[in-house]
Amino acid sequence: MKRVDLAVIGAGPAGMAAATEAAGAGLRVLLLDEQRSAGGQVFRNVDAASEVRDKVLGQDFVVGRKLTMGLAHRDITHVTGASVWSIEDRVVRFVTGDEAQEVCAEHVLLATGALERAMPVPGWTLPGVMTAGAAQIMLKEAGIATRDAVLVGSGPLLYLVAVQLLRAGYPPRALVETQTRGDMRGALIHWRAALRGWRYLQRGAAMLNELRNAGIARFVGAREVTLLGRRRVEAVHFRCGGTVHELASDTVLLHHGVVPNVQAARAVGVPHRWNNRQHAFVPEVDRWGRTPVEGIWIAGDGAGIGGAQVAEQSGRIAGWAIAQALGGITLEERNARALPLISKRAIELSIRSFLERAYPPYEAALVPEDEATVCRCEEVSAQEIRAAATSGCTGPDQLKAFTRAGMGRCQGRFCGLTVTRLMAEERGVDPDEVGYFRIRPPIKPVSLGALAALHDPNDPLEQVGGHD
């Protein structure tokens, strides 16, 4: 079995930064990522993007090339198209195509990033409905822009995707925003912290101004959002300011925030706690990225949402800390490099309290109405989950036996938080008491052929039981 000093899972900002710093300190690093090139979601396909696409996606996208360049280090082995399905005792198992491989690492860094929060409003499973992030992936990967789309939800990513579509020559029809003007006024209690992140406010204001100058309609404070259609989505129905609106469109992009991708962290036994500000579970990590599980580290949005710059900073900090733990650098060297960056990271994170208050998730999608589908894989409705909770079902794992929710291909990645909130609401308890699905290997689908390929036919098999 191959051995490395550090296995990094995920080649986004955190993973790339950590791999570069660890390799620079003399560690042998294996960087595993599902994508065909480094970058993660933020810098997806950045090395192959044309000048035209660079202008569409903006300067914040182009800076990703500085991180991808660092992966040319001789002590970094970057494996693309790698799907990690098991991490046990720091043995990382993954598949590339049909080939199964495993590696033993002294330390494992999870840099798995974030997931878009599911937005289960009535009609969200209709063809023609996707997330704003999915539309951005099409733009980054293939230069394909959605035409005449209506963007629904809340958060700065809505503005970014709308601006990128506008620059690509396909301006969206409208933005239907679920945050209220009262949310923005309430966020002003964090004005001092927000001013520390003034660059984010400046970029946000510039995007809104660009959309305003282009004549893109905005509806702020939308409620009772319903997507209408028979064979595919045909319109967005909502109430705003006492008026009922219905916007015709065959493409709807949903978004109301991102949440940590915790599947791998839960699979290795890292404790998690409910974060009321992010409306999600986050893993327990210290300021270096170290978890309570020996040899397991987490950096980037997978440890709590902070954005690309914070992810990069956290990756560098974790890379230096792991290098120090393995003797690559001294404690004094680690502190000299990392402590100033920890302070800088705190400044970058200061804007989060303002953003989380100004752009909360859409409450009617956090705790959806009975008719809304929650688990798309198994077609389980909110009503079925509520009924199970009132019938004595106490948590998500038991819910699998009642409804099969969370047992589909995504393994609860997209329905898990909604399931937790629904059950907590129905039982009148905190989400921490309800908990989350227990995640076991395989954390990603893997074929039986790939599993069989890991067996060495020369190893003796232990026979259990006797034969007559």
Side-chain angles (χ1 to χ4, degrees):
M1 183 186 301
K2 182 179 179 180
R3 296 182 178 273
V4 296
D5 297 314
L6 172 63
V8 180
I9 316 301
M16 291 189 291
T20 300
E21 300 301 346
L27 273 59
R28 296 166 300 151
V29 179
L30 175 66
L31 177 61
L32 301 172
D33 191 64
E34 287 187 327
Q35 296 185 29
R36 61 181 181 180
S37 60
Q41 169 59 9
V42 176
F43 304 124
R44 180 182 287 266
N45 206 31
V46 65
D47 288 333
S50 65
E51 288 186 20
V52 172
R53 202 174 302 174
D54 285 349
K55 292 178 181 178
V56 167
L57 297 172
Q59 186 59 37
D60 288 344
F61 173 73
V62 176
V63 297
R65 293 195 182 107
K66 294 180 181 179
L67 286 168
T68 60
M69 288 173 59
L71 301 183
H73 196 284
R74 65 181 183 180
D75 286 330
I76 298 176
T77 301
H78 178 204
V79 180
T80 60
S83 182
V84 175
W85 61 270
S86 172
I87 306 170
E88 296 180 290
D89 297 326
R90 283 168 282 167
V91 174
V92 180
R93 298 181 178 91
F94 59 98
V95 292
T96 54
D98 294 328
E99 183 182 1
Q101 301 181 55
E102 58 184 357
V103 63
C104 182
E106 292 293 325
H107 292 265
V108 176
L109 175 69
L110 304 178
T112 50
L115 297 170
E116 269 191 284
R117 185 192 302 275
M119 193 172 175
V121 296
W124 77 302
T125 58
L126 287 168
V129 181
M130 66 180 80
T131 66
Q136 196 180 52
I137 287 174
M138 292 196 305
L139 196 57
K140 291 177 178 178
E141 282 283 357
I144 298 173
T146 56
R147 185 189 297 270
D148 208 26
V150 174
L151 284 75
V152 180
S154 68
L157 183 65
L158 277 186
Y159 306 143
L160 177 59
V161 173
V163 165
Q164 290 172 341
L165 292 174
L166 174 63
R167 292 172 183 170
Y170 297 93
R173 173 163 293 188
L175 275 71
V176 178
E177 301 176 47
T178 57
Q179 84 281 353
T180 66
R181 302 193 190 282
D183 291 326
M184 183 61 71
R185 288 193 296 271
L188 293 178
I189 65 171
H190 303 293
W191 68 270
R192 288 187 178 87
L195 288 178
R196 297 176 71 188
W198 63 270
R199 290 182 180 84
Y200 293 99
L201 299 178
Q202 185 181 56
R203 287 199 290 269
M207 287 190 292
L208 286 173
N209 190 54
E210 190 170 348
L211 294 173
R212 188 181 303 112
N213 290 339
I216 308 299
R218 291 181 61 208
F219 299 87
V220 178
R223 288 292 178 266
E224 301 174 24
V225 177
T226 302
L227 310 182
L228 305 176
R230 298 185 66 182
R231 294 181 179 273
R232 61 172 296 122
V233 68
E234 297 171 1
V236 181
H237 180 95
F238 61 97
R239 184 181 295 275
C240 186
T243 304
V244 174
H245 300 266
E246 192 167 299
L247 304 179
S249 178
D250 61 3
T251 303
V252 176
L253 308 181
L254 300 177
H255 176 82
H256 68 150
V258 294
V259 296
N261 182 358
V262 299
Q263 301 294 102
R266 284 189 172 275
V268 297
V270 175
H272 289 67
R273 65 185 185 281
W274 182 261
N275 184 305
N276 281 318
R277 292 188 302 119
Q278 295 187 8
H279 300 271
F281 287 104
V282 297
E284 293 183 11
V285 296
D286 64 14
R287 62 178 178 169
W288 306 101
R290 184 186 291 108
T291 76
V293 179
E294 184 180 357
I296 302 296
W297 306 67
I298 306 176
D301 280 347
I305 304 303
Q309 288 190 15
V310 169
E312 178 186 342
Q313 293 161 353
S314 297
R316 295 193 190 283
I317 292 165
W320 291 323
I322 294 168
Q324 184 270 323
L326 289 174
I329 59 175
T330 66
L331 182 65
E332 291 73 18
E333 287 176 310
R334 183 203 68 174
N335 290 343
R337 296 178 186 182
L339 292 179
L341 201 57
I342 289 175
S343 298
K344 186 177 180 180
R345 180 177 63 181
I347 294 174
E348 293 288 340
L349 282 169
S350 61
I351 191 68
R352 297 305 309 178
S353 55
F354 174 84
L355 293 176
E356 287 159 359
R357 184 71 179 268
Y359 298 101
Y362 181 39
E363 184 64 27
L366 291 178
V367 189
E369 296 296 324
D370 281 349
E371 67 273 14
T373 298
V374 172
C375 175
R376 298 183 65 163
C377 297
E378 298 295 329
E379 298 183 342
V380 180
S381 70
Q383 182 180 26
E384 292 174 273
I385 294 169
R386 287 190 172 97
T390 57
S391 298
C393 180
T394 59
D397 282 330
Q398 192 178 13
L399 183 71
K400 293 178 180 180
F402 278 70
T403 68
R404 289 189 57 83
M407 295 184 71
R409 186 176 178 86
C410 88
Q411 298 175 301
R413 283 176 178 81
F414 301 110
C415 69
L417 293 177
T418 310
V419 165
T420 293
R421 277 294 303 269
L422 280 169
M423 299 193 75
E425 193 96 355
E426 201 65 28
R427 293 178 52 204
V429 299
D430 290 333
D432 270 321
E433 184 174 335
V434 172
Y436 191 78
F437 292 118
R438 183 176 180 183
I439 308 301
R440 298 185 178 96
I443 55 179
K444 286 291 180 72
V446 59
S447 69
L448 292 176
L451 290 174
L454 289 174
H455 169 63
D456 184 351
N458 296 317
D459 284 347
L461 294 176
E462 180 180 350
Q463 183 172 305
V464 180
H467 293 282
D468 293 331

